[in-house]
């Protein structure tokens, strides 16, 4: 899960890109980056950290131009090194920068092909760098001083033929324009909008429609699965369906947890989908536990609040906000390392005792992934005086790893993997656990857009829509992405294992010593670094 933005404007675009990233900060808190273009030159600023910490006034002044792309990241694959912060750059052909949300499931084969056949070197463990080089190689095969939209779309077609998995991409081709495209299943989201300024159009693409709203762009529609949108330097818009799609399958977990409630995805209101999740949960409780003794419904902020509100309304039980959230602590689900997550839960939430004392409480959360947060919250409710603590999940049990860009890939770290619902309830310490059914979850989203007949639901049912996932692949990503593999290394270990180039070592040293002035790079002078 990352956030991508691309804007073609009639004026300086640096502030607009910054503002869009702040709106998409929930999609990634590990790193942020912006690339802009002016007169064929590219200007880059990227580093680890939150958007507000990565970009200062001195950086913003150097991001010149009226067209640019931006990215917020957390490390689904690879590591959290600033070397893998996006957008990523390659100088040939033309000069390309790319921002990517998703995950390629055939990256190892592609990396070997790029080295042996295309003579391209991949210097990080990022699949985004692989995707960038696949696109660059395809553009290289149709060199032209005046690159045509048809040539750009031909290059994108090559990406579809070679890359498997999930990808929502926005890229800049220096001196030519901006291209956005989405995988043929539409797994990862991206929307397209425009704004009329003095009779001329400005264009924007972003992971979520809320970013368009914040900048005054009107949502035109979602980028279609298998579609590419190209905007050249003159602001001329071109669209082409690159691959034919038999059955789109957008990720349903976006609606459960990842997206902001004020976003629309695939013409589905995230807010309304979450309301329906609460209704379906209430129906299940009435159907299977009609003699319940719930006194109060308490959401676990923030993602579950909408579902809990509707659940309480339908059951005619009072809703109370029993937890106060520290807004300055990041989302524990996307924090690397189990110990970090354990420490942050108590720092993030604090119980209001009077809402728990002597009551049978139903805690409502959007989902249960590793179970760390759920277990500690149940303990907090009991410590606050709750008589009984019930727990409801707006999503079904998460039992399988995700391979399409969400950071929960290691099966053994999922509390529901190879366990019954009763066993999960006992492990988190709840008196009773209620899960949403998968059919009900699908219905909550399909009701928003009946044209979507399938969703990507692999974390719940183990069915991978791209069809190229086997047990060997799952074992490999388990080894790569479990908490042990994500443990931070000191600089000596990092250099020894990654064999960084001299220029990257210099950048790493600069970042560590906080001399971040020198990491704001004018890419046309990249050889001087």
């Amino acid at each position: 899960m990352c956030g991508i933005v691309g804007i073609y404007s009639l004026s300086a675009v640096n502030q607009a890109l910054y503002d869009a990233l702040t709106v998409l900060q929930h999609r990634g808190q590990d790193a942020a980056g912006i690339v802009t273009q002016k007169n064929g030159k590219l200007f880059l600023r990227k580093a680890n950290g939150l958007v507000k910490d990565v970009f200062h006034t001195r950086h913003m002044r150097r991001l010149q131009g009226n067209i640019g792309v931006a990215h917020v990241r957390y490390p689904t694959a690879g590591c959290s090194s600033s070397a893998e912060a996006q957008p990523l750059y390659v100088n040939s052909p033309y000069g390309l920068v790319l921002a990517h949300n998703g995950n390629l499931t055939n990256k190892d084969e592609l990396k070997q092909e790029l080295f042996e056949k295309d003579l391209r070197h991949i210097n990080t463990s990022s699949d985004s760098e692989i995707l960038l080089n696949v696109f660059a190689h395809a553009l290289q095969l149709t060199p032209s001083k005046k690159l045509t939209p048809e040539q750009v779309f031909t290059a994108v077609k090559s990406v579809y033929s070679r890359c498997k998995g999930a990808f929502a991409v926005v890229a800049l081709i220096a001196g030519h324009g901006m291209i956005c495209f989405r995988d043929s299943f539409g797994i990862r989201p991206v929307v397209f909008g425009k704004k009329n300024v003095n009779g001329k159009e400005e264009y924007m693409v972003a992971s979520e429609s809320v970013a368009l709203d914040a900048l005054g762009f009107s949502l035109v529609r979602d980028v279609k699965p298998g579609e590419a949108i190209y905007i050249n330097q003159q602001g001329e818009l071109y669209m082409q369906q690159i691959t034919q799609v038999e059955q789109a399958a957008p990720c349903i977990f976006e609606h459960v947890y990842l997206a902001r409630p004020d976003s629309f995805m695939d013409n589905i209101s995230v807010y309304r989908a979450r309301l329906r999740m609460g209704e379906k949960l209430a129906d299940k409780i009435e159907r299977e536990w009609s003699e319940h003794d719930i006194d109060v419904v308490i959401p676990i902020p923030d993602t579950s609040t909408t579902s809990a509100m509707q659940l309480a309304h339908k059951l005619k039980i009072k809703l109370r906000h029993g937890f106060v959230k520290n807004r300055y602590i990041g989302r524990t689900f996307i924090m690397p390392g189990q110990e970090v997550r354990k420490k942050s839960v108590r720092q993030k939430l604090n119980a209001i005792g009077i809402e728990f004392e002597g009551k049978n409480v139903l805690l409502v959360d959007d989902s249960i992934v590793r179970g760390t947060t759920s277990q500690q919250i149940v303990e907090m409710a009991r410590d606050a005086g709750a008589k009984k603590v019930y727990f409801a999940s707006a999503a079904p049990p998460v039992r399988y790893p995700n391979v399409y860009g969400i950071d929960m890939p290691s099966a053994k770290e999922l509390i529901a993997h190879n366990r019954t619902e009763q066993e999960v309830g006992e492990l988190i310490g709840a008196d009773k656990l209620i899960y949403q059914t998968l059919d009900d979850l699908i219905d909550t989203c399909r009701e928003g857009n009946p044209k979507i007949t399938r969703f990507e639901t692999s974390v719940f049912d183990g069915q991978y829509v791209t069809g190229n996932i086997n047990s060997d692949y799952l074992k490999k990503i388990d080894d790569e992405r479990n908490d042990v593999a994500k443990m931070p290394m000191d600089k000596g270990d990092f250099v020894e294992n990654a064999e960084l180039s001299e220029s990257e070592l210099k950048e790493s040293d600069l970042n560590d010593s906080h001399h971040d002035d020198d990491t704001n790079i004018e890419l046309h002078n990249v050889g001087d670094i």
Side-chain angles (χ1 to χ4, degrees):
M1 182 186 75
C2 297
I4 63 170
V5 181
I7 300 177
Y8 170 85
S9 178
L10 299 172
S11 56
V13 77
N14 52 354
Q15 186 64 52
L17 289 168
Y18 176 92
D19 292 342
L21 288 188
T22 61
V23 173
L24 296 176
Q25 184 74 86
H26 62 285
R27 298 190 67 87
Q29 300 168 8
D30 179 68
I34 293 175
V35 172
T36 59
Q37 178 203 275
K38 182 179 181 180
N39 298 328
K41 296 177 181 178
L42 297 170
F43 302 87
L44 164 69
R45 167 62 184 169
K46 64 178 180 177
N48 282 0
L50 299 176
V51 175
K52 66 181 179 64
D53 298 321
V54 169
F55 302 100
H56 300 151
T57 301
R58 60 188 179 277
H59 307 128
M60 298 298 290
R61 286 174 177 163
R62 298 171 188 169
L63 294 170
Q64 304 173 40
N66 69 316
I67 185 169
V69 299
H71 188 269
V72 285
R73 175 185 189 262
Y74 81 76
T76 307
C79 65
S80 59
S81 162
S82 60
E84 296 190 6
Q86 297 185 39
L88 297 173
Y89 167 77
V90 66
N91 71 342
S92 178
Y94 308 109
L96 294 173
V97 288
L98 176 143
H100 165 222
N101 177 30
N103 189 54
L104 301 185
T105 56
N106 64 333
K107 68 172 186 176
D108 292 337
E109 304 96 295
L110 283 173
K111 186 174 183 178
Q112 186 172 356
E113 281 182 17
L114 286 166
F115 181 73
E116 294 179 353
K117 297 180 181 180
D118 302 344
L119 306 182
R120 286 184 170 268
H121 174 67
I122 305 300
N123 203 46
T124 71
S125 57
S126 169
D127 59 335
S128 302
E129 187 186 9
I130 293 171
L131 196 155
L132 169 60
N133 277 272
V134 169
F135 182 48
H137 179 73
L139 275 179
Q140 190 96 47
L141 298 179
T142 56
S144 172
K145 289 185 179 180
K146 187 175 181 181
L147 190 65
T148 67
E150 291 73 21
Q151 289 173 315
V152 175
F153 291 141
T154 298
V156 173
K157 189 173 183 179
S158 180
V159 174
Y160 282 95
S161 67
R162 297 181 70 180
C163 297
K164 309 300 179 186
F167 48 88
V169 172
V170 61
L172 270 187
I173 307 171
H176 293 88
M178 180 175 73
I179 181 76
C180 174
F181 52 94
R182 188 182 186 191
D183 69 78
S184 57
F185 289 93
I187 298 172
R188 299 265 67 86
V190 61
V191 296
F192 165 64
K194 65 180 180 179
K195 176 168 59 175
N196 188 281
V197 179
N198 298 325
K200 295 183 178 180
E201 298 291 351
E202 296 183 340
Y203 299 102
M204 178 175 178
V205 294
S207 292
E208 296 185 30
S209 63
V210 66
L212 276 62
D213 298 339
L215 272 68
F217 283 78
S218 299
L219 174 64
V220 175
R221 57 176 175 81
D222 296 86
V223 177
K224 298 175 185 176
E227 182 187 34
I229 294 177
Y230 178 62
I231 301 145
N232 67 15
Q233 289 284 103
Q234 293 71 44
E236 296 169 330
L237 176 68
Y238 301 88
M239 303 179 182
Q240 187 173 117
Q241 187 68 35
I242 305 297
T243 62
Q244 294 303 313
V245 180
E246 292 184 10
Q247 189 178 35
C251 174
I252 205 166
F253 207 73
E254 290 279 356
H255 295 278
V256 171
Y257 174 82
L258 302 181
R260 275 181 42 158
D262 44 346
S263 285
F264 277 78
M265 289 181 168
D266 297 292
N267 206 31
I268 300 169
S269 164
V270 176
Y271 176 76
R272 289 186 178 275
R274 289 178 184 167
L275 284 176
R276 291 188 287 266
M277 290 175 203
E279 290 181 1
K280 294 287 188 181
L281 264 178
D283 289 341
K284 184 176 182 182
I285 290 172
E286 289 179 330
R287 185 171 62 249
E288 299 181 2
W289 190 24
S290 58
E291 301 301 319
H292 67 79
D293 57 351
I294 303 167
D295 296 319
V296 63
V297 173
I298 295 179
I300 299 169
D302 284 320
T303 322
S304 66
T305 302
T306 306
S307 298
M309 177 176 65
Q310 196 68 4
L311 180 151
H313 176 75
K314 184 143 193 191
L315 291 180
K316 295 180 173 58
I317 300 172
K318 62 184 176 182
L319 176 83
R320 291 290 185 268
H321 294 283
F323 292 106
V324 176
K325 182 178 180 180
N326 182 348
R327 304 290 173 182
Y328 303 97
I329 299 292
R331 302 178 93 177
T332 54
F333 169 62
I334 64 176
M335 286 182 177
Q338 188 77 340
E339 289 305 315
V340 175
R341 283 187 292 270
K342 285 180 179 178
K343 289 180 182 178
S344 65
V345 172
R346 291 271 181 173
Q347 296 169 354
K348 184 172 76 169
L349 295 176
N350 190 45
I352 300 174
I354 58 174
E355 297 296 354
F356 293 89
E357 184 102 28
K359 298 174 184 175
N360 299 331
V361 300
L362 175 64
L363 305 179
V364 180
D365 208 351
D366 52 81
S367 58
I368 305 172
V369 182
R370 293 173 176 89
T372 307
T373 300
S374 305
Q375 183 184 44
Q376 292 192 59
I377 289 174
V378 170
E379 289 177 2
M380 290 171 66
R382 293 197 190 281
D383 291 345
K387 187 164 57 174
K388 292 182 181 179
V389 181
Y390 307 125
F391 203 101
S393 168
V398 177
R399 291 196 165 105
Y400 303 95
N402 182 277
V403 301
Y404 300 125
I406 304 176
D407 188 25
M408 49 181 182
S410 182
K412 61 175 175 278
E413 293 169 4
L414 303 175
I415 193 171
H417 183 68
N418 288 334
R419 291 190 178 101
T420 65
E421 295 182 17
Q422 182 177 349
E423 289 171 334
V424 174
E426 291 172 357
L427 281 173
I428 67 172
D431 293 295
K432 187 176 181 63
L433 173 63
I434 304 101
Y435 272 112
Q436 188 87 264
T437 69
L438 182 55
D439 286 344
D440 280 349
L441 177 62
I442 291 171
D443 285 346
T444 65
C445 294
R446 183 180 290 150
E447 187 175 332
N449 184 358
K451 292 181 180 179
I452 299 178
T453 59
R454 184 183 187 184
F455 288 89
E456 201 291 301
T457 58
S458 58
V459 297
F460 306 120
D461 59 12
Q463 302 298 309
Y464 298 95
V465 296
T466 57
N468 62 333
I469 306 303
N470 56 32
S471 58
D472 290 340
Y473 181 87
L474 295 176
K475 173 64 168 62
K476 183 176 183 300
I477 65 168
D478 184 272
D479 293 339
E480 289 177 347
R481 302 181 192 175
N482 60 48
D483 279 337
V484 174
K486 289 181 180 178
M487 287 178 63
M489 298 177 287
D490 62 34
K491 185 178 293 186
D493 290 336
F494 183 71
V495 173
E496 179 182 351
N497 287 299
E499 298 181 357
L500 296 180
S501 66
E502 183 179 353
S503 64
E504 286 173 311
L505 285 172
K506 288 180 181 177
E507 181 176 351
S508 179
D509 289 337
L510 289 166
N511 282 340
D512 285 353
S513 60
H514 302 289
H515 296 156
D516 58 0
D517 283 357
D518 295 316
T519 64
N520 193 95
I521 305 164
E522 293 187 11
L523 284 173
H524 61 288
N525 289 331
V526 72
D528 296 333
I529 299 170

